[in-house]
Amino acid sequence: MYVTLFNLAGPAILAWLLMIFVPKWSGTQWLVRTAIVPALLAVLYVIGIALLISENGLGFMRDFGSAEGVAGLMARPEIALVAWIHFLVFDQLVGIFIFRDNMHHRYVPIPVQSVILFLTFMLGPLGFLSYYVIRWARSGSPGGRRMETLV
């Protein structure tokens, strides 16, 4: 079942390819606006977590408290596959944040945005940090330019 969840998550790469190669296309804009891909991935993640809990109980979570415990958990294929889906969800959300923020403010040209999104897709935090540093340098603020006032 875990391999099935992993295989169902695979098409998420299509959203990345669209954001990287055709960011102005209306289909890409819709995917980014709705965040449907990370939402669907999150459903797969919830199914995976439910399976893990039903098979192992909640006790396996205590192993997250140490490096050895986490390494031991990741050595278990079913946990590693569910963790991979977790990574896919959050990397995609970070990619959507970068995409939306840059398309609104244009801190970097679209070709540079595509490189940053590729880095985010392949090396999550490195892509985010790249964008964050550039945005800070270009805007003069770690928060970037202000958008509308939040209510």
Side-chain angles (χ1 to χ4, degrees):
M1 181 62 173
Y2 297 102
V3 172
T4 300
L5 292 174
F6 176 84
N7 290 335
L8 288 171
I13 190 172
L14 297 175
W16 282 105
L17 293 173
L18 292 173
M19 287 192 303
I20 291 167
F21 293 110
V22 286
K24 292 185 177 183
W25 181 53
S26 62
T28 305
Q29 297 287 323
W30 181 83
L31 282 173
V32 169
R33 186 175 58 256
T34 62
I36 191 74
V37 174
L40 293 172
L41 290 171
V43 170
L44 296 177
Y45 176 76
V46 168
I47 293 168
I49 287 295
L51 288 169
L52 287 174
I53 292 171
S54 71
E55 293 171 3
N56 302 289
L58 293 171
F60 76 95
M61 291 184 194
R62 71 177 165 266
D63 291 335
F64 285 117
S66 70
E68 297 81 18
V70 170
L73 287 171
M74 292 304 153
R76 294 175 52 190
E78 70 278 13
I79 292 177
L81 291 173
V82 173
W84 178 250
I85 296 170
H86 180 279
F87 299 153
L88 291 176
V89 172
F90 281 95
D91 284 353
Q92 181 99 164
L93 287 170
V94 171
I96 286 172
F97 162 75
I98 291 168
F99 186 99
R100 287 178 178 176
D101 192 57
N102 191 62
M103 294 300 274
H104 182 78
H105 294 292
R106 299 292 186 176
Y107 295 112
V108 298
I110 289 179
V112 175
Q113 172 183 296
S114 293
V115 170
I116 292 170
L117 287 171
F118 178 76
L119 286 173
T120 305
F121 173 53
M122 297 306 294
L123 304 166
L126 178 61
F128 172 74
L129 184 60
S130 300
Y131 182 71
Y132 184 81
V133 168
I134 292 168
R135 185 179 78 162
W136 188 345
R138 295 266 170 104
S139 70
S141 168
R145 294 185 195 112
R146 290 198 314 176
M147 295 175 79
E148 301 79 33
T149 305
L150 299 176
V151 178

